[in-house]
Structure formats: C-alpha cells, structure tokens
Amino acid sequence: MNLEKVIFGFFIVLAATLNFGFFVGDIDNPAHHDIYELFAALVVSLIATVLKLGDRTQISAVHLSTSLAADLQLLAAAMVWGYAAHVSAAGLTPEMTSRVVSLSGGALFANMVSVIILIAETIMQRR
C-alpha cells in the first residue's frame, strides 16, 4: 500500500464529504448551514489542491482542474457569507444563504467529479 496515495485519496474524499455536509439542508435557512463547516471544506479543498500539484499526467491535470474549480466556488461562497454577515446592512438573509449554498453546490459537483476520477484511476491501475 502506498501511503502517498492513501493521503491523496483521503483528502479528496474528505473535501467532498465536508462540502456535502455543508450543502445539505434547506437552501435558504442559515441555521442548516454551519460557517465552520464551510471553512473546513475550503481548507481541506485547498490541501487537496496542493497534493494534486506534483503529478504530470493527463488525469492529474483533470484532477487539478476539478480541485481548482471547487476551491474557487468555496472561496466565492465564503466571501458572499462574509459580505452578508459583516458588511451588508440586511445581514445573512435567505437570499444570501441561497447564494452561498448554490456556490457550495458547484464545488460539490467538482468534488464528486474528482472522486469519480479517483475511483476510475484506481480501477484502471494494473500491478
């Protein structure tokens, strides 16, 4: 068993599961979406991106692109949440919560593509 591949797979799956945990719930109810879970999803996604930088294969390029897409979506979601909670006079309204959750949904899709690629890559490997 290769420890590097275990760590790589762990962070890819953890990024997807944390993102899923934040995404689930009523789209416009801020009580169903924890800001710390969004933060954890963003941090783990960034770690997964760094782990994807080393390899130079075509499938690694696709892994990296999905990770960058997820990072961008989660960063945008965090920025919208920060604006709504700390700058906007209206606060975290259902409309702003819907925007944050929608952005995290885009990141969730990118993470699921990355997990599917990881599974396909694992199945195709020959010893």
Side-chain angles (χ1 to χ4, degrees), residues 54-111:
D55 205 358
R56 298 268 188 236
T57 63
Q58 177 61 33
I59 204 152
S60 295
V62 177
H63 263 301
L64 183 60
S65 65
T66 59
S67 191
L68 289 172
D71 292 345
L72 184 63
Q73 294 277 346
L74 290 173
L75 187 60
M79 289 173 63
V80 169
W81 187 299
Y83 172 79
H86 302 292
V87 178
S88 174
L92 192 59
T93 62
E95 178 186 346
M96 292 302 255
T97 303
S98 296
R99 290 179 185 171
V100 171
V101 173
S102 294
L103 286 165
S104 76
L108 178 60
F109 180 76
N111 283 332

Coordinates of all heavy atoms in Angstrom, one line a residue, residues 54-111:
G54 N 1.8 17.8 -7.8 CA 3.1 17.1 -8.1 C 3.1 16.3 -9.4 O 4.1 16.3 -10.1
D55 N 2.0 15.6 -9.7 CA 2.0 14.7 -10.8 C 1.8 15.4 -12.2 O 1.2 16.5 -12.2 CB 0.8 13.7 -10.6 CG 1.1 12.4 -11.4 OD1 2.1 12.3 -12.0 OD2 0.2 11.5 -11.2
R56 N 2.4 14.9 -13.2 CA 2.4 15.5 -14.6 C 1.6 14.7 -15.6 O 1.8 14.9 -16.8 CB 3.8 15.7 -15.1 CG 4.6 16.5 -14.2 CD 4.6 18.0 -14.7 NE 5.5 18.8 -14.0 CZ 5.2 19.9 -13.3 NH1 3.9 20.2 -13.2 NH2 6.1 20.6 -12.7
T57 N 0.7 13.8 -15.2 CA -0.1 13.1 -16.2 C -1.4 13.8 -16.6 O -1.7 14.8 -16.0 CB -0.5 11.7 -15.6 OG1 -1.3 11.9 -14.5 CG2 0.7 10.9 -15.2
Q58 N -2.0 13.3 -17.6 CA -3.2 14.0 -18.1 C -4.4 13.9 -17.1 O -5.1 14.8 -16.8 CB -3.7 13.3 -19.4 CG -5.0 13.9 -20.0 CD -5.0 15.4 -20.3 OE1 -3.9 15.9 -20.7 NE2 -6.1 16.1 -20.1
I59 N -4.5 12.7 -16.4 CA -5.5 12.6 -15.4 C -5.3 13.5 -14.2 O -6.2 13.9 -13.6 CB -5.7 11.1 -15.0 CG1 -7.1 10.8 -14.5 CG2 -4.7 10.6 -14.0 CD1 -7.6 9.4 -14.7
S60 N -4.0 13.7 -13.9 CA -3.7 14.6 -12.8 C -4.1 16.1 -13.2 O -4.4 16.8 -12.3 CB -2.2 14.6 -12.5 OG -1.8 13.3 -12.1
A61 N -4.0 16.4 -14.5 CA -4.4 17.7 -14.9 C -5.9 17.9 -14.7 O -6.4 19.0 -14.3 CB -4.0 18.0 -16.3
V62 N -6.6 16.9 -15.0 CA -8.1 16.9 -14.8 C -8.4 17.0 -13.3 O -9.3 17.7 -12.8 CB -8.8 15.7 -15.4 CG1 -10.3 15.7 -15.2 CG2 -8.5 15.7 -16.9
H63 N -7.7 16.2 -12.5 CA -7.8 16.3 -11.0 C -7.6 17.7 -10.5 O -8.3 18.2 -9.7 CB -6.8 15.4 -10.3 CG -7.3 14.0 -9.9 ND1 -8.4 13.9 -9.1 CD2 -6.9 12.8 -10.3 CE1 -8.6 12.6 -8.9 NE2 -7.7 11.9 -9.6
L64 N -6.5 18.3 -11.0 CA -6.2 19.7 -10.6 C -7.2 20.7 -11.0 O -7.6 21.5 -10.2 CB -4.8 20.1 -11.1 CG -4.3 21.4 -10.7 CD1 -4.2 21.5 -9.2 CD2 -3.0 21.7 -11.3
S65 N -7.7 20.5 -12.2 CA -8.8 21.4 -12.7 C -10.1 21.3 -11.9 O -10.7 22.4 -11.5 CB -9.0 21.3 -14.2 OG -9.6 20.0 -14.4
T66 N -10.5 20.1 -11.5 CA -11.7 20.0 -10.7 C -11.4 20.6 -9.3 O -12.3 21.2 -8.7 CB -12.1 18.5 -10.5 OG1 -11.0 17.8 -10.0 CG2 -12.5 17.9 -11.9
S67 N -10.2 20.4 -8.8 CA -9.9 20.9 -7.4 C -9.9 22.5 -7.5 O -10.4 23.1 -6.5 CB -8.6 20.4 -7.0 OG -8.4 20.7 -5.6
L68 N -9.3 23.0 -8.5 CA -9.3 24.5 -8.6 C -10.7 25.1 -8.8 O -11.0 26.1 -8.2 CB -8.4 24.9 -9.8 CG -6.9 24.7 -9.6 CD1 -6.2 25.0 -10.9 CD2 -6.4 25.6 -8.5
A69 N -11.6 24.4 -9.5 CA -13.0 24.8 -9.6 C -13.7 24.8 -8.3 O -14.4 25.7 -7.9 CB -13.7 23.9 -10.6
A70 N -13.5 23.7 -7.5 CA -14.1 23.6 -6.2 C -13.5 24.7 -5.3 O -14.3 25.3 -4.5 CB -13.8 22.2 -5.6
D71 N -12.2 24.9 -5.3 CA -11.6 26.0 -4.5 C -12.2 27.4 -4.8 O -12.6 28.1 -3.9 CB -10.1 26.1 -4.7 CG -9.4 24.9 -4.2 OD1 -10.0 24.1 -3.4 OD2 -8.2 24.7 -4.5
L72 N -12.4 27.7 -6.1 CA -12.9 28.9 -6.5 C -14.4 29.1 -6.0 O -14.8 30.1 -5.5 CB -12.9 29.1 -8.0 CG -13.3 30.4 -8.6 CD1 -12.4 31.5 -8.1 CD2 -13.3 30.3 -10.1
Q73 N -15.2 28.0 -6.2 CA -16.6 28.1 -5.7 C -16.7 28.2 -4.2 O -17.5 29.0 -3.7 CB -17.3 26.8 -6.1 CG -17.4 26.6 -7.6 CD -18.6 27.3 -8.2 OE1 -19.5 27.8 -7.5 NE2 -18.6 27.5 -9.5
L74 N -15.9 27.5 -3.5 CA -15.9 27.6 -2.0 C -15.4 29.0 -1.5 O -15.9 29.5 -0.5 CB -15.1 26.5 -1.3 CG -15.7 25.1 -1.5 CD1 -14.8 24.0 -1.0 CD2 -17.1 25.0 -0.7
L75 N -14.4 29.5 -2.2 CA -13.9 30.8 -1.8 C -14.9 31.9 -2.1 O -15.1 32.8 -1.2 CB -12.6 31.1 -2.6 CG -11.8 32.4 -2.2 CD1 -11.4 32.3 -0.7 CD2 -10.6 32.5 -3.1
A76 N -15.6 31.8 -3.2 CA -16.7 32.7 -3.5 C -17.8 32.6 -2.5 O -18.4 33.6 -2.0 CB -17.2 32.5 -4.9
A77 N -18.1 31.4 -2.1 CA -19.2 31.2 -1.1 C -18.8 31.8 0.3 O -19.6 32.4 0.9 CB -19.5 29.7 -0.9
A78 N -17.6 31.6 0.6 CA -17.1 32.2 1.9 C -17.1 33.7 1.8 O -17.5 34.4 2.8 CB -15.7 31.7 2.2
M79 N -16.8 34.3 0.7 CA -16.8 35.7 0.5 C -18.2 36.3 0.6 O -18.4 37.3 1.2 CB -16.1 36.1 -0.8 CG -14.6 35.9 -0.7 SD -13.7 36.2 -2.3 CE -14.1 37.9 -2.6
V80 N -19.1 35.6 -0.1 CA -20.5 36.0 0.0 C -21.1 36.0 1.4 O -21.7 36.9 1.9 CB -21.4 35.2 -1.0 CG1 -22.9 35.4 -0.7 CG2 -21.0 35.4 -2.4
W81 N -20.7 34.9 2.1 CA -21.1 34.7 3.5 C -20.5 35.9 4.4 O -21.2 36.5 5.2 CB -20.7 33.4 4.1 CG -21.3 33.1 5.5 CD1 -21.0 33.8 6.6 CD2 -22.1 32.1 5.8 NE1 -21.7 33.3 7.7 CE2 -22.4 32.2 7.2 CE3 -22.7 31.0 5.1 CZ2 -23.2 31.3 7.9 CZ3 -23.5 30.1 5.9 CH2 -23.7 30.3 7.2
G82 N -19.3 36.1 4.2 CA -18.6 37.2 4.9 C -19.2 38.6 4.6 O -19.4 39.4 5.5
Y83 N -19.5 38.8 3.4 CA -20.1 40.1 3.0 C -21.5 40.2 3.6 O -21.9 41.2 4.2 CB -20.3 40.2 1.5 CG -21.1 41.4 1.1 CD1 -20.5 42.7 1.1 CD2 -22.4 41.3 0.7 CE1 -21.3 43.8 0.7 CE2 -23.2 42.4 0.3 CZ -22.6 43.6 0.3 OH -23.4 44.7 0.0
A84 N -22.3 39.2 3.6 CA -23.7 39.2 4.1 C -23.6 39.4 5.6 O -24.4 40.1 6.2 CB -24.4 37.9 3.7
A85 N -22.7 38.7 6.3 CA -22.7 38.7 7.8 C -22.1 39.9 8.3 O -22.5 40.4 9.4 CB -22.0 37.4 8.3
H86 N -21.1 40.5 7.6 CA -20.3 41.6 8.3 C -20.4 42.9 7.6 O -20.1 44.0 8.2 CB -18.9 41.2 8.4 CG -18.7 39.9 9.2 ND1 -18.9 39.8 10.5 CD2 -18.3 38.7 8.8 CE1 -18.7 38.6 11.0 NE2 -18.3 37.9 9.9
V87 N -20.9 43.0 6.3 CA -20.9 44.2 5.6 C -22.3 44.7 5.3 O -22.7 45.8 5.5 CB -20.0 44.1 4.3 CG1 -20.1 45.4 3.5 CG2 -18.6 43.8 4.6
S88 N -23.1 43.8 4.8 CA -24.5 44.1 4.4 C -25.3 44.5 5.6 O -25.3 43.9 6.6 CB -25.1 42.9 3.7 OG -26.4 43.1 3.4
A89 N -26.1 45.5 5.3 CA -27.0 46.0 6.4 C -28.1 45.0 6.7 O -28.6 44.9 7.8 CB -27.6 47.4 6.0
A90 N -28.5 44.2 5.7 CA -29.6 43.3 5.8 C -29.1 42.0 6.6 O -30.0 41.3 7.1 CB -30.2 42.9 4.5
G91 N -27.9 41.8 6.6 CA -27.4 40.6 7.3 C -27.5 39.3 6.4 O -27.6 39.4 5.2
L92 N -27.4 38.2 7.0 CA -27.5 36.9 6.3 C -29.0 36.6 6.0 O -29.6 35.8 6.8 CB -26.8 35.8 7.1 CG -26.5 34.5 6.4 CD1 -25.6 34.7 5.1 CD2 -25.8 33.5 7.3
T93 N -29.5 37.1 4.9 CA -30.9 36.8 4.5 C -31.0 35.5 3.9 O -30.0 34.9 3.5 CB -31.3 37.9 3.6 OG1 -30.5 37.8 2.4 CG2 -31.2 39.3 4.2
P94 N -32.2 35.0 3.7 CA -32.4 33.7 3.0 C -31.9 33.8 1.5 O -31.4 32.8 1.0 CB -34.0 33.6 3.0 CG -34.4 34.2 4.2 CD -33.5 35.4 4.4
E95 N -32.0 35.0 0.9 CA -31.4 35.1 -0.5 C -29.9 35.0 -0.5 O -29.4 34.3 -1.3 CB -31.8 36.5 -1.0 CG -31.2 36.8 -2.4 CD -31.5 38.2 -2.8 OE1 -32.3 38.9 -2.2 OE2 -30.8 38.6 -3.8
M96 N -29.2 35.6 0.5 CA -27.8 35.4 0.6 C -27.4 34.0 0.9 O -26.4 33.5 0.4 CB -27.2 36.4 1.6 CG -27.3 37.9 1.1 SD -26.5 38.2 -0.5 CE -25.1 39.0 0.0
T97 N -28.1 33.4 1.8 CA -27.8 32.0 2.2 C -28.0 31.1 0.9 O -27.2 30.2 0.7 CB -28.8 31.5 3.3 OG1 -28.6 32.4 4.4 CG2 -28.5 30.1 3.7
S98 N -29.0 31.4 0.1 CA -29.2 30.6 -1.1 C -28.0 30.7 -2.0 O -27.6 29.8 -2.7 CB -30.5 31.0 -1.8 OG -31.6 30.8 -1.0
R99 N -27.5 31.9 -2.1 CA -26.3 32.1 -3.0 C -25.1 31.3 -2.5 O -24.4 30.7 -3.3 CB -25.9 33.6 -3.0 CG -26.9 34.5 -3.8 CD -26.5 35.9 -3.8 NE -27.5 36.7 -4.4 CZ -27.6 38.0 -4.4 NH1 -26.6 38.7 -3.8 NH2 -28.5 38.7 -5.0
V100 N -24.9 31.4 -1.2 CA -23.8 30.6 -0.6 C -23.9 29.1 -0.8 O -23.0 28.5 -1.2 CB -23.6 30.9 0.9 CG1 -22.6 30.0 1.6 CG2 -23.3 32.4 1.2
V101 N -25.1 28.6 -0.6 CA -25.4 27.2 -0.7 C -25.3 26.8 -2.2 O -24.7 25.7 -2.5 CB -26.7 26.8 -0.1 CG1 -27.1 25.4 -0.4 CG2 -26.7 27.0 1.4
S102 N -25.7 27.6 -3.1 CA -25.6 27.4 -4.5 C -24.1 27.3 -5.0 O -23.8 26.4 -5.8 CB -26.3 28.4 -5.4 OG -27.7 28.3 -5.1
L103 N -23.3 28.2 -4.5 CA -21.9 28.2 -4.8 C -21.3 26.9 -4.2 O -20.4 26.3 -4.9 CB -21.2 29.4 -4.3 CG -21.5 30.7 -5.0 CD1 -21.0 31.9 -4.2 CD2 -20.8 30.7 -6.4
S104 N -21.6 26.5 -3.0 CA -21.1 25.3 -2.5 C -21.6 24.1 -3.3 O -20.9 23.0 -3.3 CB -21.4 25.1 -1.0 OG -22.7 24.7 -0.8
G105 N -22.7 24.2 -3.9 CA -23.2 23.1 -4.7 C -22.4 22.9 -6.0 O -22.1 21.8 -6.4
G106 N -21.9 24.0 -6.5 CA -21.0 23.9 -7.6 C -19.7 23.2 -7.2 O -19.1 22.4 -8.0
A107 N -19.2 23.6 -6.1 CA -18.0 23.0 -5.5 C -18.2 21.5 -5.3 O -17.3 20.7 -5.5 CB -17.5 23.7 -4.3
L108 N -19.4 21.1 -4.8 CA -19.7 19.7 -4.5 C -19.7 18.9 -5.8 O -19.1 17.8 -5.9 CB -21.1 19.6 -3.9 CG -21.6 18.2 -3.6 CD1 -20.6 17.5 -2.6 CD2 -23.0 18.3 -3.0
F109 N -20.2 19.5 -6.9 CA -20.2 18.8 -8.2 C -18.7 18.6 -8.6 O -18.4 17.5 -9.1 CB -20.9 19.6 -9.2 CG -20.9 19.0 -10.6 CD1 -21.7 17.9 -10.8 CD2 -20.1 19.4 -11.6 CE1 -21.7 17.2 -12.1 CE2 -20.1 18.8 -12.8 CZ -20.9 17.7 -13.1
A110 N -17.9 19.6 -8.5 CA -16.5 19.5 -8.9 C -15.8 18.4 -8.0 O -15.0 17.6 -8.5 CB -15.7 20.8 -8.7
N111 N -16.1 18.4 -6.7 CA -15.5 17.4 -5.9 C -16.0 16.0 -6.2 O -15.2 15.0 -6.2 CB -15.9 17.6 -4.4 CG -15.0 18.7 -3.8 OD1 -13.9 19.0 -4.2 ND2 -15.6 19.5 -2.8

